[in-house]
Amino acid sequence: MSNTEEKNKMPSGIETFLTNLKHLPQSFKDATVRHGPPSSNRAASQSVFSNLFLHIHSVRTHRYNFKKTFTMGLGIASAASFVILAITGILLMIYYKPSLAEAYNSIKDIHFAVPGGRLIRNIHRWGAHIMVAGVFLHMVRVFMTGSYRHPRQFNWVVGMILFAVTLGLSFTGYLLPWDQLAYWATTIGAQIAGSPVEITDALGITHIIDIGGLQMRLLLGADIVGEEALVRFYFLHCILLPLVLTTFIGVHFWRIRKDGGMSRPSVITEEMLEGTPIDENAEMAFPTKNKTYGLMCLVKGDSNNVKNSVKNTVQSWPNLFNYEMAIFILVLAILIVLSYVSDAPLKEAANPAVPENPAKAPWYFLGLQELVSYSAFMGGVAIPGLAVLGLMLIPFLDKTRNESGLWFPDKNEKSVFKSTVIFSSIVILATLVFTVNFGWLRNWFPQIPQLIIVLINPGTIITGLFVWWSIRILKNTGSTRLGAMAVFTCFLVGFVILTYFAYQHRGPNWDFYWWPSLWPAH
Amino acid sequence: MDEKKDSRRNFITKFAPATFWGSLAVWGGSLLKFTMPTLLPQESKKIKLGMPSDFPNGTTKIFEKERVVLFADDDGLFAISTTCTHLGCVVKWTGRGFDCPCHGSKFDAQGEIIQGPAPKALKWFKIEKLPSGQLSLNLDKTVESGVKEQFYV
């Protein structure tokens, strides 16, 4: 009797199971998120550092980072466009077929038959434009605000790698539709990779070491642009380069934190922080000049974060995340509007017998195409290589510890910027006008050796004058920062003017025309 | 004795990671080799032209797909490649010379450079006479610029 009573008091297995089932949503939530809703500062902090995807952010964000005229959200916009590109790219892979016979038709199917296919493809194409522009402008912002300085030198280098990989992704992407633009752009790109042959030929050592041929064959998988090239570009575009980009984006973001957050001036007035979110609690916090972390005692050395106080910071949740989501939504909205307004181009199917006339690259490669029209090796390999290398090394050659995080903190920077814009514009325009009107060495001396053309052409003359100007600024001002300002401004102006010129004023046979409507019919 | 032990330990502690990095380097190198193509697909490089009598003086025949133009003049037959020596675009025969649409190189009727970034003159291909008397254009063999062949009927 008493035995059964005891048995009745004990919950049966079924009952326990039912109770557990009833509490399932709550216990699942407790296991997933180990803190309450982010209503208090403590819970908001926990939300950030206990979440894999959020913890790359700091728990608190400096108010200066929210200053709209400082970063303009360009880095976040670039990352947002990459996320959108990854999503639309994965979707496009469902229908795209990487073979000579099917590639062009599968793009046509995506564009005309697949539900929503045209929108997805347009967003992917426009996203590429926005990403290239975003990365480029982000680089301009970082340079102009001096944010590459100690301790952020390495992150500037990572940024340059991201810039190069972004351009690589874009280039490998427009081969895939296998239309006329794709075929001829790839032909030209592969030949540029092979252009060191100009130098080895001139030196007569091509049969010993053929660097150009090796690079070209590695890219194309053959001597001609065909099936092998398409498969290789598909692999580069969909697997290798996105993997590299994602990895380096991770390093880039992680380094922002390790380098002590984003750059900011040493003295920040309340005026500069106008329009940014504020957290009164932060002002009441005790000074933490000497704070150390428990684990830090095991590690020798200084951390950039240790010196940071919580003064002028706000909770990252929700302030920073709202800001990031707003930029993401803005980028997405812009892409969708652009995609409705204008379709991604698709030319006629690739025809290896007849190139387009003119055969123009996308806008961000047009400046290079203009340089390449003077000399393949100089314009396609040497000058851009020198530019990227020079930009990469800036933080190691300019070690001045001036203010970071301000646009033009002193008058000298502004005046060097202005005079360099004027100088470099005059140099480029004069060279272009001269070349268009009078031609170049080959027009006057038809028998001139190729090596002289490679060494002396409008591209190398512009580059030489830029270097001369920057050294002059460096010498006259005695400031490496101003020298770097001159180099960077020359690069910027060169990029803008050459791109504009090739876009607007180059027509069939790469001849000069004032306006595309003046192009002869053919 | 102790010293000996120490140096052995030193050797092993250095040798172990060196083995790791060494094998990784060898493996990585062999992976790079994997990406170098050894099979280089190409199209057939011989074009059958027909009898020499099919090409009277003044003939200009464009082979668009094979990227070559065949000419016949007083000195004989000759074939000029239409692949630009600059960056591989196809140049267009204008009646007086060849123009490149991509980067503005211009060549004269003999394929010599007049202007633009092209590093070399256009290639000339070999024209061969087959035992049957037919002519064949061999795109694997180039001849010096200016070498024109007479094929008497």
Side-chain angles (χ1 to χ4, degrees):
Chain A
M1 188 69 185
S2 64
N3 229 351
T4 40
E5 250 173 45
E6 259 174 43
K7 262 190 183 168
N8 280 344
K9 271 182 203 164
M10 293 259 294
S12 70
I14 298 290
E15 271 174 304
T16 317
F17 171 75
L18 287 176
T19 319
N20 288 353
L21 191 64
K22 210 170 85 187
H23 292 137
L24 182 83
Q26 187 58 42
S27 31
F28 186 78
K29 189 172 167 280
D30 289 346
T32 320
V33 183
R34 292 182 174 140
H35 51 80
S39 46
S40 68
N41 274 358
R42 182 166 176 272
S45 302
Q46 277 180 320
S47 311
V48 178
F49 63 64
S50 60
N51 179 307
L52 172 70
F53 303 102
L54 296 182
H55 92 285
I56 199 147
H57 299 87
S58 169
V59 164
R60 295 185 70 83
T61 307
H62 199 279
R63 290 174 64 203
Y64 193 74
N65 296 5
F66 293 97
K67 200 173 155 61
K68 289 180 190 68
T69 53
F70 170 40
T71 69
M72 306 185 190
L74 289 165
I76 299 287
S78 310
S81 50
F82 176 61
V83 171
I84 296 167
L85 280 165
I87 295 169
T88 49
I90 289 169
L91 287 175
L92 289 172
M93 281 174 79
I94 298 174
Y95 288 103
Y96 175 74
K97 304 185 188 84
S99 73
L100 287 199
E102 297 285 347
Y104 184 72
N105 286 332
S106 66
I107 294 287
K108 260 191 159 171
D109 285 349
I110 289 170
H111 201 91
F112 294 107
V114 174
R118 172 147 66 155
L119 182 65
I120 299 288
R121 177 167 178 258
N122 288 353
I123 291 178
H124 198 71
R125 186 74 199 97
W126 277 110
H129 288 304
I130 295 279
M131 185 172 166
V132 172
V135 170
F136 188 82
L137 293 174
H138 175 60
M139 174 177 75
V140 173
R141 191 283 288 175
V142 171
F143 179 85
M144 288 298 172
T145 57
S147 302
Y148 57 79
R149 291 202 183 95
H150 178 89
R152 299 179 180 80
Q153 307 98 315
F154 179 68
N155 223 10
W156 168 265
V157 175
V158 175
M160 290 303 298
I161 294 172
L162 289 174
F163 180 50
V165 176
T166 303
L167 289 180
L169 268 167
S170 175
F171 176 68
T172 50
Y174 61 73
L175 166 72
L176 301 181
W178 207 249
D179 61 351
Q180 276 288 67
L181 171 70
Y183 182 86
W184 292 103
T186 311
T187 303
I188 292 167
Q191 298 273 340
I192 287 175
S195 68
V197 86
E198 271 189 24
I199 298 291
T200 50
D201 263 359
L203 299 173
I205 54 168
T206 306
H207 58 284
I208 305 169
I209 177 164
D210 182 12
I211 304 165
L214 196 77
Q215 293 192 128
M216 196 172 95
R217 225 159 281 145
L218 198 60
L219 201 60
L220 295 183
D223 285 331
I224 49 169
V225 179
E227 193 92 51
E228 286 73 19
L230 183 57
V231 171
R232 277 178 187 232
F233 275 56
Y234 181 66
F235 149 76
L236 284 173
H237 187 74
C238 300
I239 297 188
L240 188 66
L241 292 180
L243 217 59
V244 172
L245 196 78
T246 311
T247 308
F248 278 100
I249 286 178
V251 176
H252 202 57
F253 286 178
W254 181 72
R255 279 302 290 233
I256 296 175
R257 285 202 61 187
K258 292 290 146 182
D259 297 342
M262 287 211 287
S263 70
R264 69 184 78 94
S266 51
V267 180
I268 298 173
T269 61
E270 198 52 42
E271 215 172 42
M272 292 157 85
L273 293 174
E274 222 181 280
T276 62
I278 187 165
D279 179 3
E280 260 97 31
N281 291 333
E283 311 312 312
M284 298 190 296
F286 55 87
T288 50
K289 275 273 177 226
N290 300 316
K291 85 173 168 186
T292 51
Y293 298 110
L295 275 175
M296 293 298 282
C297 64
L298 299 174
V299 186
K300 277 186 189 167
D302 212 0
S303 159
N304 289 304
N305 274 322
V306 172
K307 290 177 202 124
N308 289 347
S309 93
V310 290
K311 193 167 178 291
N312 275 333
T313 60
V314 290
Q315 288 289 344
S316 296
W317 180 302
N319 297 294
L320 179 62
F321 303 137
N322 284 348
Y323 184 81
E324 290 180 358
M325 285 188 288
I327 291 174
F328 183 90
I329 292 293
L330 184 70
V331 170
L332 187 60
I334 291 172
L335 287 180
I336 290 176
V337 169
L338 286 172
S339 302
Y340 271 110
V341 173
S342 156
D343 277 346
L346 184 64
K347 314 231 163 165
E348 305 91 76
N351 179 357
V354 185
E356 283 214 299
N357 195 359
K360 284 195 183 182
W363 61 271
Y364 33 84
F365 286 135
L366 279 178
L368 278 185
Q369 196 173 355
E370 178 68 25
L371 288 180
V372 162
S373 78
Y374 309 134
S375 156
F377 176 72
M378 276 296 165
V381 179
I383 294 176
L386 203 69
V388 169
L389 192 72
L391 291 179
M392 230 183 221
L393 294 182
I394 279 181
F396 305 98
L397 301 177
D398 165 35
K399 290 185 175 177
T400 44
R401 297 286 189 98
N402 294 352
E403 285 287 12
S404 292
L406 287 173
W407 291 82
F408 304 117
D410 66 67
K411 273 188 211 151
N412 294 336
E413 284 198 12
K414 206 169 211 167
S415 71
V416 166
F417 175 71
K418 278 183 189 162
S419 59
T420 308
V421 167
I422 294 168
F423 170 80
S424 49
S425 307
I426 291 174
V427 163
I428 296 185
L429 289 175
T431 315
L432 289 173
V433 168
F434 180 88
T435 314
V436 165
N437 279 315
F438 304 110
W440 200 248
L441 292 168
R442 173 97 17 77
N443 301 60
W444 320 319
F445 316 104
Q447 299 303 320
I448 199 162
Q450 177 61 20
L451 198 58
I452 294 180
I453 306 254
V454 171
L455 294 177
I456 305 172
N457 63 59
T460 57
I461 284 184
I462 291 173
T463 312
L465 284 170
F466 283 1
V467 171
W468 170 79
W469 171 262
S470 306
I471 291 174
R472 215 188 74 119
I473 295 274
L474 181 67
K475 230 165 106 183
N476 290 356
T477 62
S479 155
T480 47
R481 166 64 177 168
L482 294 178
M485 177 64 92
V487 170
F488 190 81
T489 311
C490 282
F491 164 76
L492 202 62
V493 172
F495 179 84
V496 171
I497 295 186
L498 287 177
T499 304
Y500 162 78
F501 187 80
Y503 183 83
Q504 188 62 47
H505 297 307
R506 288 299 190 183
N509 295 340
W510 210 246
D511 285 333
F512 175 82
Y513 293 91
W514 280 109
W515 208 252
S517 57
L518 300 173
W519 292 1
H522 63 279
Chain B
M1 187 69 191
D2 268 4
E3 215 169 81
K4 210 176 174 185
K5 223 178 179 176
D6 257 9
S7 73
R8 184 183 296 156
R9 173 162 296 171
N10 269 341
F11 174 74
I12 289 174
T13 46
K14 277 179 189 154
F15 183 74
T19 314
F20 172 75
W21 291 113
S23 33
L24 208 63
V26 170
W27 187 55
S30 63
L31 289 192
L32 277 184
K33 184 81 188 147
F34 172 83
T35 61
M36 272 316 288
T38 44
L39 303 165
L40 301 172
Q42 278 179 341
E43 312 216 334
S44 164
K45 293 279 181 125
K46 282 188 181 167
I47 311 172
K48 279 208 172 151
L49 294 175
M51 299 305 286
S53 55
D54 296 341
F55 303 98
N57 229 342
T59 302
T60 305
K61 192 166 182 198
I62 300 170
F63 296 88
E64 218 173 45
K65 192 167 160 280
E66 292 84 0
R67 298 186 182 177
V68 60
V69 184
L70 184 77
F71 298 96
D73 69 8
D74 292 341
D75 302 320
L77 283 171
F78 57 103
I80 299 180
S81 158
T82 57
T83 302
C84 185
T85 52
H86 178 226
L87 293 175
C89 284
V90 175
V91 296
K92 202 174 173 197
W93 170 245
T94 60
R96 280 171 290 109
F98 301 88
D99 288 354
C100 181
C102 294
H103 304 98
S105 288
K106 285 187 168 55
F107 304 85
D108 67 12
Q110 309 294 308
E112 297 293 332
I113 315 162
I114 303 171
Q115 72 167 59
K120 284 183 276 190
L122 295 175
K123 274 191 231 166
W124 284 43
F125 291 122
K126 174 107 178 135
I127 299 167
E128 291 160 342
K129 195 170 183 178
L130 301 176
S132 61
Q134 295 233 359
L135 295 182
S136 161
L137 187 52
N138 188 344
L139 303 182
D140 276 329
K141 284 188 184 160
T142 54
V143 293
E144 294 249 319
S145 293
V147 176
K148 301 176 184 177
E149 301 250 16
Q150 291 279 14
F151 298 98
Y152 297 105
V153 186

